Amino acid sequence: MATRHLYVVRHGAADPFGELTSTGEQQTHLLGERLARLPIDTVWHSPLARAVSTARILGEHLPNATVAEAAELVDHVPHVPEEMPAAWAGFFDGFDAAEAATGARLSQALVERFARPAETESHEVLVTHAYQVAWLVRDALGAPPARWLAMSCGNTALTVIQQRTGTPPTLVLYNDMSHLPEELRWTGFGQGPRP
């Protein structure tokens, strides 16, 4: 039975303009060294600059892998809950029905493209954004749509999901930052202890 191995990563740390910082470049090189031990076929990336740069650096460490854009990996809010958790109410201020529908459509396209088995064995890196990592994990676990809100994701943290025909997805690893020294481990959301 063929297994589709998905190595899902959030881009490296970026500045307010969406460009990788020197920290983001360091994080990405360390992730590239870790992934170089695996038989990676393809590095898919979001069309946004921080993901493009992350994928380019990973490609330097993975010379046998194809690096290509996948529009489905773009950053977006995947789901706006009907019953808003109080802690998140301010985050969703200003989201209208059209924006929520667009997010739902993009999330469905993400799942349809990547959250399914492949016909042949594959090892694919998905360079994307925190919300998309959370959405793919939520999907793999069969959790309710609003559960994506409870998942944070570090820059260049590694999440591994396996897809096989006839079985539920397997979440092998989530938000693993063991390739990063302590000073480079960060979720990018708020201050606090770094795991």
Side-chain angles (χ1 to χ4, degrees):
M1 176 186 323
T3 301
R4 185 179 198 181
H5 305 266
L6 297 174
Y7 305 94
V8 188
V9 300
R10 182 182 178 202
H11 58 80
D15 66 22
F17 303 102
E19 300 295 331
L20 283 190
T21 61
S22 59
T23 295
E25 290 175 0
Q26 284 182 280
Q27 291 168 325
T28 304
H29 280 292
L30 291 168
L31 175 62
E33 291 171 11
R34 180 178 183 174
L35 293 174
R37 297 175 283 146
L38 301 169
I40 304 298
D41 307 308
T42 309
V43 177
W44 298 105
H45 62 81
S46 156
L48 300 181
R50 55 197 183 271
V52 173
S53 296
T54 299
R56 180 189 50 75
I57 293 170
L58 292 178
E60 294 171 11
H61 294 273
L62 305 167
N64 297 322
T66 301
V67 177
E69 183 178 301
E72 295 87 352
L73 295 170
V74 73
D75 197 9
H76 67 277
V77 172
H79 172 77
V80 178
E82 289 181 25
E83 292 187 27
M84 191 63 58
W88 284 87
F91 177 79
F92 290 105
D93 279 353
F95 272 85
D96 61 24
E99 288 172 308
T102 297
R105 188 176 65 254
L106 289 169
S107 297
Q108 185 60 34
L110 174 66
V111 167
E112 286 175 3
R113 179 158 184 192
F114 292 109
R116 61 176 178 77
E119 293 188 21
T120 60
E121 191 85 6
S122 69
H123 293 262
E124 303 164 71
V125 176
L126 309 182
V127 181
T128 189
H129 308 274
Y131 299 161
Q132 285 56 59
V133 175
W135 190 255
L136 288 168
V137 169
R138 181 222 55 85
D139 181 76
L141 296 175
R147 290 299 294 151
W148 76 272
L149 294 168
M151 292 181 230
S152 193
C153 183
N155 293 111
T156 72
L158 181 61
T159 294
V160 180
I161 301 170
Q162 295 175 340
Q163 301 277 353
R164 294 179 190 86
T165 303
T167 66
T170 302
L171 180 62
V172 177
L173 196 64
Y174 173 67
N175 201 42
D176 184 80
M177 293 182 263
S178 61
H179 54 282
L180 300 175
E182 183 178 347
E183 66 273 11
L184 296 181
R185 297 178 190 173
W186 187 50
T187 63
F189 298 108
Q191 298 302 315
R194 296 182 184 201

